[in-house]
Amino acid sequence: MTTLNWIPEPTLQHLTGNQPYRTGREGIAQWHQVPDTTIVAVEHPFIIENIEEGLKTLGGDGAISRVVATKGREASLELYTRPDDPMRNGVMSHVVKTNDVLLKITVPKRTGRKRKRGSSGPYQADEEVGQSMRSSLSRQSDPESLLRSLRDNPAKYKVEPVGKMQRSYRYRALADIQYSTMNGSFMKRLGDSILEYDYDKIKRFKLDESKGVKVNTEVVPPPVTSRLPVPFNYSYLQNPSVKVDLDASGVATVTNVSTTVKILTQMVTHSVSTVPNEPPPEICPLEELDDDFQQIVHQVRQYLKLRPVWTRRALTNVMDIPIGTLRAAWQYAGYMFRSGPWREAIIRFGVDPRSDPKYRFYQTMMFQLLLDDRDPDNDKRKWMEERTKFQRANRGKQRDLESHVFDGHKVSLDGKVWQLCDITDPILRIIMETKNIRSTCDNRNDGWLHNGTMAKLRGIMKEKVRTIFNGNLHSDEDYNKFAAIPDVIDENIRQQISMPRVSAQWEIELAAHIRVNAMAWESRARTESRRDTWLKKSLKSGKKRDGETESEGEGEDDDDDDDVLQDGEEDEDDDGGNDSEETDGNDDDDDEDDDVGVITGIRRGTGRRRR
């Protein structure tokens, strides 16, 4: 026997306020003896309305007797959701050691009559109380009804300890996937014979030994379907940046305060007919923003008046304002080209650099830094990795406010776009200040400068950037021979651009780079034009052949003609790619011969390619 000094909680005996809760010697309750009765607690996950059916879900009296007889040893008490199915899968229990006391609380029995609280009138019958008395035992013993009885009878209830509960069986595992076999004939015979563990019934069990495919063949479920008995803890938490506010009408709205504000800078293509003159209409009006931000927008507009075209890096350096703030400000001051000679530059609203040759000095050039074209494993992600390392290494340090200027001796990794007006290298300045410019703007590639001028600028600057990172700078005199290449490069001049075999490797590669890039767009356009012409002829001849073969009844499938057209397209693409990569200057004639070979290599009678 264990002696228990049980002090009743004030929430039980003194909820009505009729008796004061006393402490000290006056508040000491009487001593109770706790019997040494072994009591096992089972936290059943179901609402038990029928005691017998509830015991069957635990395996019956036999399973419960084995658990009680373990005397401290941890034995699992499986829970079966379908106790009548012999192929059922149970839920494993988890044994927890506890130190609880089971109390028997006796309250006055309800008679089914009631009267208004505080009145002295007679008791009257209540249908609701009568119905509750006729309900199950579990419904009468629910905590709400018990607590109400304690409130109504603060001095008439009795408490008696029944025993100690030192073990509790809890069910926290996931139930396995349930596969019902109650309606299957085979599984039913198996359950009635083999699973009954009766020798005579087992002897009478026979398998169907007939051969052949049988209709409605039963599928025997595996013993265990799910391999995850414990639920995964996803640790879902509310985003601390999400705030709930009430709008003017009192409706709750959810706002993520950490969401990045969307930038609505207008981006146009190089072939657009007219350029934007004002910010987009869906942008927030500038007058509704704070004064500090309006001042920054005013500064950006002033800089765009002094110079109508800026790269983002140059504007960030001259204003010395964080890029995030400027990115939100320049959408109120200018627009950008997605492609073309002024790509990735902020342009003042209403200014079209394609309209006047004076804007040629604001053209941009872009380079993938730290990439070697000769490396077969070249990957553009290397540039991003190196730029990320640079930004992390320089975080918190003073930024180089001249990083947008290229003087031929240093390069910063905080950007990869340069404007011609920000290039101070002597050789490059001589090339870009040529008076030989285009009469009409090339909106797609070279702008107001000729193809040779831009090819020399790109090739020499790229070589200088590579040598800066490698640490083996060349003298300006080494580039004079490349600066002397004509500004306009046609087919004849292109074939003449070459270096003697005794030249250095970098000189041969630079000459090839200028030769290829000067005619890159022209070669591609010429190849596309030849391909379109060939396709039109092939389609026309294909239609004619279809008409002839239909009259003769010996037509080929359309798939063959389609295959020929696809092969022809691939050959044209391959020839065009070789045309932009060859460096011997004699690739044009070879391309012409190849094109003739492709066209004449189709036999009109069969629609197939001749090898």
Side-chain angles (χ1 to χ4, degrees):
M1 302 289 289
T2 302
T3 302
L4 173 66
N5 184 11
W6 181 71
I7 302 178
E9 294 290 338
T11 55
L12 297 178
Q13 187 174 356
H14 307 278
L15 288 174
T16 61
N18 297 329
Q19 298 184 13
Y21 180 71
R22 297 173 294 178
T23 59
R25 300 182 62 85
E26 296 180 354
I28 296 178
Q30 66 181 24
W31 293 87
H32 295 271
Q33 298 293 331
V34 180
D36 290 334
T37 305
T38 302
I39 299 177
V40 178
V42 178
E43 298 182 8
H44 206 292
F46 300 161
I47 297 176
I48 304 300
E49 296 184 354
N50 189 308
I51 299 298
E52 298 297 332
E53 295 295 331
L55 293 178
K56 288 176 61 177
T57 60
L58 300 176
D61 296 336
I64 296 177
S65 301
R66 287 193 300 270
V67 169
V68 175
T70 53
K71 294 182 180 181
R73 291 177 294 177
E74 296 184 359
S76 177
L77 183 62
E78 290 190 73
L79 174 67
Y80 301 102
T81 58
R82 295 178 293 112
D84 297 330
D85 190 351
M87 302 299 294
R88 62 187 180 269
N89 291 332
V91 181
M92 303 298 295
S93 63
H94 176 62
V95 183
V96 179
K97 293 183 178 181
T98 59
N99 190 22
D100 300 332
V101 177
L102 178 63
L103 299 178
K104 178 183 179 181
I105 302 176
T106 304
V107 296
K109 185 177 181 181
R110 302 184 66 182
T111 62
R113 299 181 300 161
K114 70 176 184 176
R115 68 180 178 183
K116 189 174 182 180
R117 190 184 305 276
S119 66
S120 57
Y123 288 94
Q124 297 178 357
D126 184 16
E127 295 182 1
E128 179 182 354
V129 176
Q131 292 177 1
S132 64
M133 293 181 62
R134 293 190 297 270
S135 62
S136 64
L137 179 62
S138 61
R139 292 301 185 184
Q140 296 182 28
S141 303
D142 64 329
E144 184 178 354
S145 300
L146 179 61
L147 187 59
R148 179 179 176 181
S149 298
L150 292 175
R151 291 195 187 103
D152 295 339
N153 304 278
K156 295 182 180 180
Y157 67 85
K158 294 186 297 184
V159 178
E160 178 186 355
V162 178
K164 296 182 294 184
M165 295 186 298
Q166 297 181 344
R167 282 180 295 161
S168 180
Y169 287 82
R170 300 175 180 175
Y171 297 94
R172 300 293 186 266
L174 293 175
D176 195 10
I177 298 174
Q178 301 298 312
Y179 192 102
S180 178
T181 59
M182 298 294 291
N183 298 326
S185 60
F186 174 79
M187 299 303 299
K188 189 175 182 180
R189 290 192 300 109
L190 181 67
D192 295 340
S193 56
I194 303 296
L195 299 182
E196 290 292 334
Y197 303 106
D198 185 280
Y199 180 72
D200 295 333
K201 293 182 178 180
I202 295 176
K203 287 182 60 177
R204 290 195 297 268
F205 179 78
K206 301 294 183 180
L207 293 174
D208 186 6
E209 299 181 358
S210 60
K211 299 180 180 180
V213 179
K214 300 177 180 61
V215 182
N216 297 328
T217 303
E218 297 182 41
V219 177
V220 180
V224 179
T225 305
S226 176
R227 300 177 58 186
L228 301 175
V230 180
F232 183 78
N233 183 15
Y234 290 93
S235 300
Y236 286 121
L237 296 175
Q238 178 61 52
N239 186 355
S241 301
V242 175
K243 307 298 181 183
V244 179
D245 299 324
L246 296 179
D247 57 10
S249 59
V251 180
T253 58
V254 180
T255 306
N256 190 343
V257 297
S258 64
T259 302
T260 305
V261 180
K262 186 176 182 180
I263 306 301
L264 300 177
T265 303
Q266 298 186 74
M267 306 286 290
V268 299
T269 61
H270 66 272
S271 59
V272 67
S273 58
T274 57
V275 297
N277 294 318
E278 58 184 1
E282 60 271 15
I283 200 172
C284 180
L286 184 61
E287 294 77 13
E288 298 180 5
L289 303 178
D290 57 87
D291 297 337
D292 294 338
F293 184 77
Q294 293 185 30
Q295 184 64 26
I296 295 176
V297 174
H298 177 71
Q299 295 179 16
V300 173
R301 290 175 176 176
Q302 292 299 320
Y303 276 103
L304 287 174
K305 288 182 180 180
L306 298 176
R307 172 173 154 181
V309 185
W310 290 80
T311 60
R312 289 177 289 186
R313 178 170 52 164
L315 194 59
T316 304
N317 289 341
V318 297
M319 296 187 65
D320 196 13
I321 295 178
I323 183 64
T325 305
L326 277 181
R327 187 178 288 109
W330 60 50
Q331 60 182 337
Y332 291 91
Y335 69 97
M336 299 177 66
F337 277 106
R338 293 184 180 273
S339 59
W342 292 272
R343 177 186 175 187
E344 300 292 333
I346 307 297
I347 307 173
R348 190 177 72 222
F349 283 131
V351 174
D352 189 354
R354 303 168 301 176
S355 62
D356 197 311
K358 66 181 181 181
Y359 296 114
R360 66 184 183 276
F361 296 106
Y362 302 121
Q363 295 181 198
T364 60
M365 293 190 299
M366 182 181 298
F367 300 95
Q368 292 286 351
L369 305 181
L370 298 181
L371 295 182
D372 191 354
D373 294 338
R374 295 166 296 180
D375 186 4
D377 298 330
N378 191 2
D379 191 351
K380 292 184 178 181
R381 288 176 296 182
K382 294 180 181 179
W383 150 249
M384 300 301 299
E385 295 174 357
E386 294 295 334
R387 185 177 182 181
T388 302
K389 293 179 182 178
F390 173 82
Q391 292 175 347
R392 291 177 178 175
N394 292 271
R395 186 173 299 170
K397 299 181 180 180
Q398 181 63 31
R399 190 174 73 252
D400 183 11
L401 300 181
E402 297 292 332
S403 61
H404 63 285
V405 178
F406 181 76
D407 58 359
H409 300 284
K410 64 177 182 178
V411 176
S412 178
L413 288 178
D414 61 347
K416 56 181 180 179
V417 181
W418 280 268
Q419 279 185 280
L420 300 185
C421 59
D422 292 329
I423 298 176
T424 61
D425 183 78
I427 296 297
L428 298 178
R429 293 296 301 180
I430 294 174
I431 297 175
M432 74 177 65
E433 291 177 355
T434 178
K435 301 298 182 180
N436 187 7
I437 61 176
R438 294 176 181 267
S439 58
T440 57
C441 180
D442 178 14
N443 300 335
R444 184 176 185 179
N445 187 42
D446 297 328
W448 289 103
L449 299 178
H450 288 291
N451 60 342
T453 305
M454 289 303 299
K456 290 186 294 182
L457 289 174
R458 293 190 180 100
I460 295 177
M461 184 172 176
K462 185 174 183 179
E463 178 63 25
K464 281 181 172 288
V465 170
R466 187 180 66 84
T467 56
I468 290 173
F469 286 116
N470 295 340
N472 51 352
L473 297 176
H474 307 303
S475 62
D476 292 342
E477 289 75 12
D478 295 334
Y479 295 100
N480 289 333
K481 63 175 72 71
F482 301 100
I485 295 176
D487 294 329
V488 180
I489 299 179
D490 55 13
E491 291 295 336
N492 295 329
I493 298 178
R494 179 172 178 262
Q495 297 178 10
Q496 298 175 7
I497 301 176
S498 60
M499 299 297 297
R501 295 184 180 274
V502 296
S503 302
Q505 180 66 25
W506 72 270
E507 293 179 327
I508 298 176
E509 293 176 354
L510 179 55
H513 183 277
I514 295 175
R515 180 172 64 248
V516 171
N517 282 272
M519 301 296 295
W521 293 104
E522 287 79 358
S523 299
R524 183 177 301 177
R526 186 175 60 253
T527 303
E528 292 176 355
S529 177
R530 289 201 301 265
R531 182 175 64 237
D532 294 342
T533 303
W534 179 81
L535 286 174
K536 291 179 181 179
K537 293 182 179 179
S538 300
L539 291 173
K540 185 177 180 180
S541 60
K543 292 180 180 180
K544 183 177 180 181
R545 290 196 305 272
D546 291 341
E548 295 174 354
T549 53
E550 288 175 2
S551 61
E552 297 174 2
E554 299 177 357
E556 293 286 340
D557 293 338
D558 293 339
D559 294 340
D560 294 337
D561 295 336
D562 293 340
D563 294 338
V564 172
L565 294 180
Q566 293 173 3
D567 294 339
E569 290 177 359
E570 292 174 359
D571 289 344
E572 286 289 341
D573 291 341
D574 294 339
D575 294 338
N578 294 333
D579 182 50
S580 61
E581 296 293 336
E582 289 290 338
T583 59
D584 57 1
N586 298 322
D587 54 331
D588 293 331
D589 295 337
D590 295 338
D591 290 341
E592 296 288 346
D593 296 340
D594 292 342
D595 292 339
V596 174
V598 172
I599 295 175
T600 58
I602 300 177
R603 291 190 296 172
R604 297 185 179 274
T606 61
R608 300 184 181 275
R609 182 189 297 269
R610 188 192 316 163
R611 297 295 182 184

